[in-house]
Amino acid sequence: MRLNRSEGSSLTTTAVAALLVMVTGCGASTGSDGHACTEIGAVSGVGLTVEQELADDIREADMQVCWDGTCERIPLDLHPGQRTIDLGCESDQPYGVCSATSTPDGTLTGFAQLDSLPAGEVQVRTFTTRQDGTRVETERLSVATETVFPNGEECPGEAQQLALTLGPTGLRPR
């Protein structure tokens, strides 16, 4: 069979379109309600924000998380905290360009991955080392973890997380 130039171009266009449709479906599955699920997931663990009033005095921190007779001690890698400042949008259209910037807020933040973190209630305490080398331990806090669903509840990739704040009065849920 011999194709003329316009027939070959039409076949190429059809083949490219079919390939794009196939590639678009890669990397995504469909949830129970027909919603497309991406391959993104979440990490189980504990996040800590040290309030501005304590941040300058904290050199390092770790925490102990306990549940059902099991305790795990996890170190926290603390970094300067940031807050986001909305710089607005060029238009009010749904696909308009918007921007934001980050600025230090005087806090410290950290996250420790803990794959074994269960759903439900856990007991947590923090241990901090101050700039002068003294160690301070908080009272034990009982708090429930939260199941997070980065793609929605109908998609896989969920994780257990806990967000806490350490301030002058102690440890509390964020």
Side-chain angles (χ1 to χ4, degrees), residues 6-162:
S6 67
E7 289 174 324
S9 176
S10 176
L11 282 175
T12 302
T13 302
T14 304
V16 169
L19 180 62
L20 287 174
V21 169
M22 289 184 341
V23 169
T24 302
C26 293
S29 58
T30 304
S32 60
D33 67 351
H35 168 88
C37 298
T38 68
E39 297 296 323
I40 195 168
V43 175
S44 291
V46 181
L48 179 70
T49 298
V50 178
E51 289 183 338
Q52 188 174 8
E53 295 83 5
L54 292 180
D56 287 340
D57 196 32
I58 304 291
R59 186 169 63 195
E60 60 186 33
D62 58 287
M63 61 179 41
Q64 181 183 53
V65 182
C66 301
W67 66 92
D68 296 332
T70 300
C71 290
E72 293 209 30
R73 188 95 173 232
I74 50 177
L76 290 161
D77 191 14
L78 297 174
H79 302 280
Q82 305 275 325
R83 69 182 175 95
T84 304
I85 299 171
D86 182 358
L87 297 178
C89 299
E90 289 180 359
S91 75
D92 60 355
Q93 297 301 311
Y95 297 104
V97 176
C98 300
S99 61
T101 188
S102 296
T103 185
D105 65 2
T107 64
L108 291 173
T109 61
F111 183 84
Q113 185 171 338
L114 185 57
D115 294 331
S116 57
L117 190 64
E121 188 138 328
V122 296
Q123 295 74 45
V124 184
R125 66 174 54 164
T126 60
F127 303 88
T128 56
T129 302
R130 304 294 167 102
Q131 295 298 343
D132 65 6
T134 58
R135 295 276 290 162
V136 177
E137 178 180 331
T138 62
E139 296 277 328
R140 188 177 283 217
L141 172 70
S142 290
V143 62
T145 61
E146 178 184 352
T147 304
V148 295
F149 300 91
N151 285 293
E153 292 185 27
E154 61 282 346
C155 296
E158 71 275 357
Q160 297 302 314
Q161 293 185 352
L162 188 57

